[in-house]
Amino acid sequence: MQKRMWQNAYRTTVVCVDSYDDGVLAGRMYNPGLQNGERFHGLMQFLIKMEDLLDTLQFPQPFMDSRGFSTTRGQAASAPVSEQHQQGKRATFALKVLFRQNASWQGSVTWLEGGREESFRSVLELVLLMDSALSPGES
């Protein structure tokens, strides 16, 4: 297997959230490792596409092998997305996954419109941070 060294630009994925209706996330994600941006609809699709991107980049390396009930994961076809407008209608996040340990992700997320950066220790914590930016005033 060939080792790859990625520049810092590959470590950041821009997540553009265009809608967040009834807690359903929809938008686009951009990374230099993607030929085009990727659309997603729903949290599960976002997480699977992000995990696939991290696997493709081979960075960060997962601490353990993924397990599942099925041996293959279905890929939803994605229409090409223009990279010229990398801003979400609801919010835009710069996501840096630095580690993949304990079957989760660790890193930092920056809410660009709010100008705040927070570290996260798990995918659940990342999701809750994003929700807090998308649902201000709700507890």
Side-chain angles (χ1 to χ4, degrees):
M1 183 179 294
Q2 180 182 2
K3 283 194 168 195
R4 296 182 185 176
M5 291 297 291
W6 296 105
Q7 300 171 356
N8 282 334
Y10 284 85
R11 296 180 185 201
T12 302
T13 301
V14 176
V15 180
C16 303
V17 179
D18 293 327
S19 67
Y20 193 61
D21 300 324
D22 295 323
V24 178
L25 193 68
R28 301 158 280 130
M29 54 190 259
Y30 300 95
N31 180 288
L34 294 169
Q35 199 164 12
N36 296 305
E38 285 276 337
R39 292 189 188 279
F40 59 87
H41 183 81
L43 180 62
M44 185 63 75
Q45 192 176 58
F46 166 68
L47 295 176
I48 289 171
K49 286 186 178 209
M50 251 323 278
E51 185 72 9
D52 288 344
L53 171 63
L54 297 173
D55 286 343
T56 299
L57 295 176
Q58 299 177 355
F59 181 85
Q61 286 288 317
F63 182 73
M64 58 187 9
D65 290 332
S66 297
R67 301 185 313 159
F69 292 111
S70 172
T71 56
T72 59
R73 194 163 53 205
Q75 282 289 334
S78 208
V81 178
S82 168
E83 292 199 27
Q84 293 185 357
H85 191 66
Q86 292 187 16
Q87 184 172 358
K89 294 175 185 171
R90 285 287 303 266
T92 312
F93 300 96
L95 177 60
K96 292 181 186 175
V97 178
L98 302 175
F99 305 101
R100 291 196 287 170
Q101 297 177 344
N102 303 316
S104 195
W105 307 335
Q106 298 80 37
S108 66
V109 61
T110 303
W111 175 29
L112 298 180
E113 291 83 0
R116 292 193 51 203
E117 180 178 8
E118 295 286 342
S119 295
F120 59 91
R121 296 163 290 203
S122 68
V123 172
L124 177 59
E125 193 171 23
L126 167 65
V127 169
L128 293 172
L129 286 166
M130 292 172 69
D131 177 73
S132 71
L134 292 163
S135 305
E138 293 182 22
S139 296

